[in-house]
Amino acid sequence: MAKLQDWATWALSPSISAIIVTLVISLTLPVLVHYYLYKRAVAKELPTFLLLGPSGSGKTSLVTLLSNGTASPTHISQAPQTVVCQLPSSTRTSEDKYRSENDTSSRNRPKFAILDTPGHGKLRHHAMSSLTSPGTIKGLLFVVDSAMVSSAAGLTEAAEYLYDILLLLQKRHTQGKTSKGPQGIPVLLVANKQDVFTSLPAVLVKSKLQEELGKVRSTRSKGLLDSGIGMEDEAGDEESNWLGEYGAKKFAFGQMQEHGVEVEVIGSSTSGEAEDAGGMHDCWSWFGANI
Amino acid sequence: MLDAFEILSTSGIVLWRRHYAPLASNVIDSLVRDVFIEEKQKPAGGDTPSYKKDRYTLRWTTAKDVGLVFVAVYQSLLHLSWVENLLTAVKGLFLKSYGPELKNGHTLRISTAQWDQTFDALVSRLDTGSTRRQSDALDSEGPSELTPPSSSAGDEGDEPPPVPAPLFKKPATPTRRDVVDDTSTDATPVPTPDTSRPATPARAASHLLTAKGGPGKASRRSRKAQTFATSAPASSGDESSTNRKAGKNVAAKGKRRWDVDGSAIEGDDDGVLDYSAPATPGLDTTDRELDVENVDAAQMGSRTGKGQFVLKDLDDEVDAILASSKAPSTTTASSDPATGLLGTATSRLTGLFRNVVGGKTLTKADLQQPLQLMQTHLLEKNVAREAAERLCQSVETDLLDHKTAGFTSIETTIRESMSKALTRILTPTSSLDLLRNVTSTTSGANARPYVISIVGVNGVGKSTNLSKIAYFLLQNQFRVLVVAGDTFRSGAVEQLRVHVKNLSALSQRENVGKVELFEKGYGKDAATVARDAVTFATNSGHGQGMLYDVVLIDTAGRRHNDSRLMSSLTKFGQLANPDKIFMVGEALVGTDSVAQARNFAKEFVDTKGKLRNNGVGMDGFIISKCDTVGDMVGTLVSMVHATGIPVVFLGVGQHYGDLRGLNVGWAVERLMR
């Protein structure tokens, strides 16, 4: 007890050593605490790209191809998964636009995450909830099976899903809380399975989807009211439920630009040998541009 | 024998697979879709339930914590009893070897070199000899199995079945065969084996399927020996090859040999027709022994401690895994709390604390009471008991050994999980866009009218909802033909006549669409009335195109347990061939909804006996009188749970505009309120 009392007396006395010790402790302790806390949470959020599309379009194969370099066999996904990929060194990122073409210095290869969601009708809520919750979603890849799009049923399914997604993006933009609105999310339409004989080329896939989206848009607007109309306040507004330009007869992806949604189309194939390099190259460069 | 074995993750990637026979990838795809996602199969048999598709039977087991599914595929004709043990053992061993790697997440592929050998050893150990396949595996790299199956004991009647042994026991068998040869050259005829009927069909199948191997060699040799003994080659060839054909006493064909002229060489079994196996033992025993030695040394050498270590340890491990899986799990009772007043008080307090703070791993005992409350809550919302039990069961399996998030109590966790389960049941696989379907059928190349029919029990609101649908279609500029298919109840035709009069007045006022009634009075067969109506609407051959775009057929209400009336529905479905069949169920009905839905759904088979609409029967439910029940919309869940058919419309009143689509979020919110 005496020792404690002595120590306490010394600590509260105005001696130089006590002051110095106090200063040291009070200055270094917060710094240490900061480092401890932020080291744990320092895993910086990687830019994430959301991968979605109707079931059977090749999303999981694409993810394995992008991450490993070879496509593994896959089955229907039941759960979403996040995969970390790294840009190949030959791809230019958006930071590189200030570099000259002939710059041969090594660039760092940024990493990014791809969130692969199930495409089955009952499991699409994973994708929808990832879009509604704010996060670091930098872009969206919508994968379709180019051969399935040539049939009416497959085209309708793809178009309906794409309609839901685009409407969600549009609402997110128009109903944002701040006046500036959230940052737009670019959409890459991947016409997968180009190696299949009955597949349509990417440009044709885009035009067919645009047509079908126009039809879906008109039938949805004329459709029955939902049973949940009392729930949300602004749900009854006709204009907010109309994709793209209100009142336009035809739908074009360009109409989505005002909401910050840029739609691009590329073709790809996960099982090609030499020629898929072309498809994947476009894919990587889109990633690079949007990281 | 297995056709395939796959290990896949819930995210869809195949981590490892072994195919013994070519297998289309859609077999396992349909397993995932039907059982895991759409839950069309009720969880029945024990640990490893089974699923049938085409000619295959699939058995599987899951490891939920790491998100893996282990699937074994085999032909439905076989009955393999050891597959369950295989699945359990594979699951245990795989998790042991690769568990930590998998738990890290983000693994798309794992190095499975070691696993191939482990799997082969496991199969050879668990596979009861009768159904083992010889080393024809398509892409197996394991040591080839050359020990003959035990059922070849029928060949040499007095030879004990050779023990299925790993490779290094092989030198024993050739000597045994030589011994047998000696006995058979003693001019005693080979005793007719008494395996005239195989013990199990599977053993016969193995006889049929093994093309070559031990029995072939031995029997050929014995046959040769007998050729010298007796001079009737065909007959002695008979006996041994008879054995190979599962003991049927049919004159077996001797192997046909052709000489250079193109004529058959008779009765000569000296020549070996099968060049993949060595013909005479004498010549190549040394070879085989050398081979054996080589492989032996390489095996032992390359995997010195580890190679043998794997096999030996494998046995112990496998025994342990199988024993633990068989024994009922008593581990839950291990952490039993203290006794006495103070003990129970502190344990309750800590339990309460953990409950509030979160981070608690849920056990069965924890979940039991809150789940009981949740089930009662669902029952109060008019969900059928069967559906409520199944929902609670699925929530329990989901949440068992799950850790609650921070600051969420058990009740909150259960509520969230239940909302997710309800959303998943109610969300349709593909949502119905009626206008889109009608437009695509009535326009385009081969345009024809779109036929919709409404069925249901008495008094649920079929005619009312049919007129609501007609009103909706009229507003969208279609021409509608309403067919009075209720030829039984007096006043049914007049009721529809009134509706059609109202609707045509409304449509003329707004100048949209056209509606008319097609009726043939009372007493006629509803199926023929429907067919005539469709023909009338199609109006083919009169040069004007279709008269009507949509044909709406009303049917008579019938009790679902009246088999005579229900069977007439099948004929109706086949004759009228509607594009969509909707069943109307009222929201007020209680547990009867399950039986109603099931009985109606199973009536609609097409001419081949397959249920319509991918095997579910009908295309959708219309739940009527939803405005009368308020929050208690549990009938939605019961009917969808019973059949897997989605709900497409809700009737919310008695006016023509009171028809709504289903918003799943609204329904779940009402149910969980």
Side-chain angles (χ1 to χ4, degrees):
Chain A
M1 277 318 277
K3 246 186 106 75
L4 184 62
Q5 205 173 18
D6 289 340
W7 181 83
T9 317
W10 167 83
L12 294 172
S13 64
S15 62
I16 293 291
S17 56
I19 293 176
I20 288 179
V21 166
T22 316
L23 271 179
V24 163
I25 290 181
S26 61
L27 288 179
T28 58
L29 196 60
V31 174
L32 287 175
V33 168
H34 165 95
Y35 272 135
Y36 171 70
L37 284 180
Y38 280 85
K39 222 179 213 17
R40 292 261 291 248
V42 85
K44 205 162 62 94
E45 280 276 336
L46 289 175
T48 315
F49 291 92
L50 188 59
L51 188 64
L52 27 86
S55 186
S57 51
K59 302 179 287 294
T60 313
S61 280
L62 194 65
V63 148
T64 56
L65 180 65
L66 289 175
S67 136
N68 284 341
T70 56
S72 330
T74 58
H75 288 292
I76 297 186
S77 308
Q78 297 163 242
Q81 66 165 357
T82 313
V83 172
V84 177
C85 306
Q86 204 171 20
L87 268 188
S89 43
S90 57
T91 315
R92 296 172 71 87
T93 66
S94 52
E95 305 170 333
D96 294 335
K97 66 183 176 219
Y98 300 115
R99 286 181 195 254
S100 149
E101 287 281 338
N102 304 320
D103 190 349
T104 51
S105 66
S106 64
R107 315 171 187 152
N108 60 338
R109 298 169 50 190
K111 287 197 177 170
F112 58 93
I114 301 186
L115 178 61
D116 171 31
T117 57
H120 191 267
K122 290 202 180 218
L123 301 172
R124 288 188 187 164
H125 60 93
H126 291 288
M128 301 296 208
S129 56
S130 318
L131 272 184
T132 49
S133 61
T136 55
I137 303 269
K138 288 281 189 255
L140 204 142
L141 287 100
F142 192 85
V143 186
V144 286
D145 182 352
S146 317
M148 219 168 60
V149 167
S150 53
S151 77
L155 180 62
T156 314
E157 191 188 343
E160 282 180 353
Y161 195 11
L162 188 56
Y163 176 85
D164 289 334
I165 295 289
L166 289 178
L167 193 62
L168 197 62
L169 289 176
Q170 174 175 323
K171 282 197 174 160
R172 187 170 163 270
H173 186 259
T174 54
Q175 290 163 7
K177 297 277 181 357
T178 66
S179 62
K180 191 172 138 219
Q183 205 180 16
I185 298 186
V187 173
L188 181 69
L189 200 57
V190 180
N192 205 5
K193 306 199 189 175
Q194 289 286 323
D195 52 302
V196 172
F197 181 67
T198 53
S199 69
L200 303 172
V203 191
L204 209 53
V205 168
K206 175 176 179 181
S207 63
K208 277 205 154 195
L209 273 178
Q210 276 184 166
E211 254 182 71
E212 193 68 17
L213 274 174
K215 292 188 193 155
V216 170
R217 173 171 79 167
S218 60
T219 53
R220 286 285 176 97
S221 68
K222 292 190 274 181
L224 284 177
L225 290 172
D226 240 4
S227 61
I229 50 172
M231 269 173 38
E232 310 136 23
D233 302 304
E234 327 98 33
D237 190 359
E238 259 206 47
E239 188 177 337
S240 66
N241 281 338
W242 185 274
L243 193 68
E245 203 183 308
Y246 187 59
K249 280 277 182 317
K250 284 186 169 307
F251 175 76
F253 284 125
Q255 294 173 10
M256 296 299 299
Q257 262 181 351
E258 59 164 307
H259 304 291
V261 178
E262 308 257 345
V263 181
E264 274 181 51
V265 184
I266 63 165
S268 82
S269 149
T270 51
S271 63
E273 291 89 20
E275 53 215 89
D276 73 326
M280 284 303 118
H281 182 74
D282 291 335
C283 205
W284 288 118
S285 43
W286 184 84
F287 278 126
N290 287 310
I291 281 192
Chain B
M1 39 239 102
L2 283 185
D3 268 7
F5 193 96
E6 293 208 7
I7 301 180
L8 38 130
S9 65
T10 47
S11 53
I13 302 180
V14 174
L15 289 176
W16 181 83
R17 70 172 169 186
R18 170 66 60 86
H19 282 193
Y20 294 104
L23 181 73
S25 131
N26 73 333
V27 178
I28 299 192
D29 273 347
S30 60
L31 167 78
V32 175
R33 189 179 336 122
D34 286 343
V35 175
F36 294 120
I37 303 184
E38 296 184 8
E39 292 179 342
K40 282 191 185 158
Q41 185 143 330
K42 310 291 181 268
D47 223 4
T48 53
S50 73
Y51 168 81
K52 290 201 193 326
K53 164 105 182 157
D54 296 343
R55 307 180 319 265
Y56 297 102
T57 302
L58 292 88
R59 301 187 85 105
W60 72 90
T61 180
T62 57
K64 257 199 232 325
D65 41 353
V66 287
L68 286 182
V69 180
F70 302 86
V71 185
V73 187
Y74 55 93
Q75 303 275 341
S76 290
L77 294 172
L78 306 177
H79 177 67
L80 302 180
S81 52
W82 49 274
V83 175
E84 287 193 32
N85 290 345
L86 176 69
L87 282 169
T88 328
V90 165
K91 174 170 155 182
L93 285 173
F94 194 81
L95 289 179
K96 194 184 278 204
S97 340
Y98 295 102
E101 215 179 300
L102 289 167
K103 278 202 170 59
N104 281 341
H106 302 296
T107 44
L108 291 185
R109 60 165 49 162
I110 47 183
S111 55
T112 50
Q114 182 65 26
W115 178 253
D116 287 335
Q117 288 148 346
T118 318
F119 183 78
D120 283 327
L122 199 54
V123 169
S124 65
R125 188 185 175 281
L126 285 176
D127 190 351
T128 55
S130 56
T131 50
R132 184 180 315 148
R133 169 179 277 227
Q134 298 294 328
S135 56
D136 291 335
L138 277 189
D139 53 345
S140 77
E141 302 113 39
S144 55
E145 286 283 335
L146 289 179
T147 49
S150 54
S151 50
S152 70
D155 257 336
E156 285 80 32
D158 36 27
E159 182 195 14
V163 176
L167 214 50
F168 34 80
K169 291 226 186 100
K170 209 134 84 69
T173 45
T175 52
R176 240 185 281 145
R177 292 222 191 86
D178 292 339
V179 166
V180 170
D181 260 343
D182 289 340
T183 61
S184 50
T185 47
D186 276 348
T188 54
V190 172
T192 313
D194 53 352
T195 56
S196 51
R197 276 188 67 80
T200 63
R203 294 167 70 108
S206 75
H207 278 298
L208 291 172
L209 288 171
T210 52
K212 58 184 183 294
K217 284 198 285 289
S219 61
R220 214 178 293 118
R221 257 179 282 113
S222 63
R223 260 187 287 140
K224 260 190 309 214
Q226 285 135 39
T227 334
F228 298 133
T230 68
S231 56
S235 56
S236 56
D238 255 347
E239 293 180 33
S240 318
S241 50
T242 306
N243 300 334
R244 286 200 285 134
K245 288 199 182 144
K248 290 195 202 126
N249 291 328
V250 183
K253 285 187 192 173
K255 290 203 167 106
R256 172 79 56 197
R257 290 270 292 161
W258 303 95
D259 65 358
V260 288
D261 302 332
S263 58
I265 303 175
E266 285 296 344
D268 170 76
D269 289 312
D270 286 325
V272 178
L273 294 178
D274 173 36
Y275 292 96
S276 55
T280 50
L283 284 180
D284 67 332
T285 321
T286 48
D287 253 5
R288 285 220 328 271
E289 275 174 357
L290 278 179
D291 270 349
V292 165
E293 280 178 35
N294 276 343
V295 176
D296 245 357
Q299 232 183 1
M300 310 261 277
S302 68
R303 316 184 272 159
T304 335
K306 213 154 191 286
Q308 219 173 8
F309 176 73
V310 167
L311 285 176
K312 258 210 193 93
D313 207 33
L314 188 66
D315 285 353
D316 296 338
E317 276 185 53
V318 169
D319 282 334
I321 292 174
L322 288 177
S324 70
S325 74
K326 295 255 182 352
S329 60
T330 49
T331 55
T332 53
S334 61
S335 63
D336 220 51
T339 55
L341 192 60
L342 194 59
T344 50
T346 46
S347 65
R348 287 235 339 251
L349 279 177
T350 48
L352 205 64
F353 183 67
R354 292 315 289 289
N355 199 15
V356 166
V357 166
K360 181 179 180 161
T361 311
L362 296 168
T363 63
K364 214 169 159 80
D366 283 332
L367 290 173
Q368 195 181 352
Q369 179 69 354
L371 273 180
Q372 197 64 33
L373 290 174
M374 176 58 71
Q375 187 173 335
T376 321
H377 173 81
L378 283 179
L379 289 175
E380 282 170 8
K381 293 282 182 182
N382 205 17
V383 179
R385 174 169 282 278
E386 198 186 310
E389 272 175 9
R390 180 145 159 254
L391 277 169
C392 289
Q393 189 69 32
S394 75
V395 167
E396 187 180 349
T397 36
D398 264 346
L399 288 183
L400 209 57
D401 297 331
H402 176 261
K403 214 162 176 216
T404 52
F407 291 102
T408 47
S409 62
I410 298 185
E411 282 80 23
T412 323
T413 321
I414 290 186
R415 283 184 82 87
E416 277 173 32
S417 179
M418 182 58 82
S419 302
K420 283 206 198 110
L422 282 171
T423 312
R424 211 170 51 189
I425 275 196
L426 288 175
T427 311
T429 308
S430 53
S431 60
L432 170 73
D433 193 350
L434 193 60
L435 288 179
R436 188 88 196 79
N437 288 351
V438 175
T439 324
S440 56
T441 315
T442 56
S443 53
N446 27 352
R448 56 173 180 82
Y450 197 78
V451 183
I452 304 178
S453 80
I454 313 266
V455 300
V457 302
N458 315 69
V460 290
K462 290 185 293 301
S463 307
T464 316
N465 282 292
L466 185 139
S467 1
K468 288 181 196 170
I469 296 181
Y471 178 71
F472 166 58
L473 292 170
L474 282 175
Q475 295 293 307
N476 284 297
Q477 319 277 356
F478 291 116
R479 299 165 296 178
V480 180
L481 181 69
V482 175
V483 180
D486 186 351
T487 51
F488 175 68
R489 195 193 82 196
S490 24
V493 178
E494 277 74 19
Q495 179 183 16
L496 279 179
R497 192 168 286 142
V498 169
H499 277 303
V500 168
K501 198 159 61 94
N502 291 345
L503 286 172
S504 58
L506 278 171
S507 63
Q508 268 166 19
R509 191 189 306 170
E510 300 176 27
N511 215 12
V512 293
K514 175 175 97 163
V515 59
E516 290 221 2
L517 178 67
F518 182 95
E519 53 99 1
K520 291 273 192 222
Y522 294 99
K524 302 284 185 349
D525 181 23
T528 41
V529 172
R531 192 190 46 190
D532 294 340
V534 175
T535 326
F536 174 69
T538 320
N539 199 33
S540 57
H542 290 243
Q544 274 175 16
M546 297 187 301
L547 284 179
Y548 295 94
D549 299 316
V550 187
V551 179
L552 292 174
I553 309 179
D554 192 16
T555 59
R558 60 203 76 213
R559 290 304 306 158
H560 58 282
N561 41 21
D562 186 341
S563 49
R564 186 178 57 95
L565 292 179
M566 295 301 288
S567 58
S568 66
L569 269 182
T570 315
K571 182 178 164 211
F572 169 80
Q574 288 170 1
L575 268 184
N577 202 13
D579 290 294
K580 289 273 181 269
I581 299 183
F582 294 136
M583 176 181 161
V584 181
E586 52 185 4
L588 302 159
V589 73
T591 42
D592 205 28
S593 52
V594 172
Q596 278 179 20
R598 285 213 177 108
N599 285 343
F600 270 90
K602 74 177 197 305
E603 288 304 324
F604 291 103
V605 288
D606 61 9
T607 44
K608 296 191 197 74
K610 210 169 81 78
L611 285 169
R612 293 182 46 149
N613 192 23
N614 294 338
V616 284
M618 297 183 289
D619 298 286
F621 286 117
I622 302 178
I623 307 290
S624 61
K625 310 180 191 173
C626 284
D627 51 324
T628 57
V629 288
D631 274 350
M632 302 176 22
V633 288
T635 319
L636 293 172
V637 178
S638 323
M639 295 185 97
V640 176
H641 151 263
T643 51
I645 303 173
V647 171
V648 293
F649 293 129
L650 297 179
V652 289
Q654 301 195 39
H655 298 290
Y656 290 119
D658 291 330
L659 192 66
R660 304 269 177 273
L662 175 68
N663 184 326
V664 181
W666 167 88
V668 172
E669 193 241 346
R670 285 290 174 99
L671 283 169
M672 301 301 296
R673 210 185 273 186

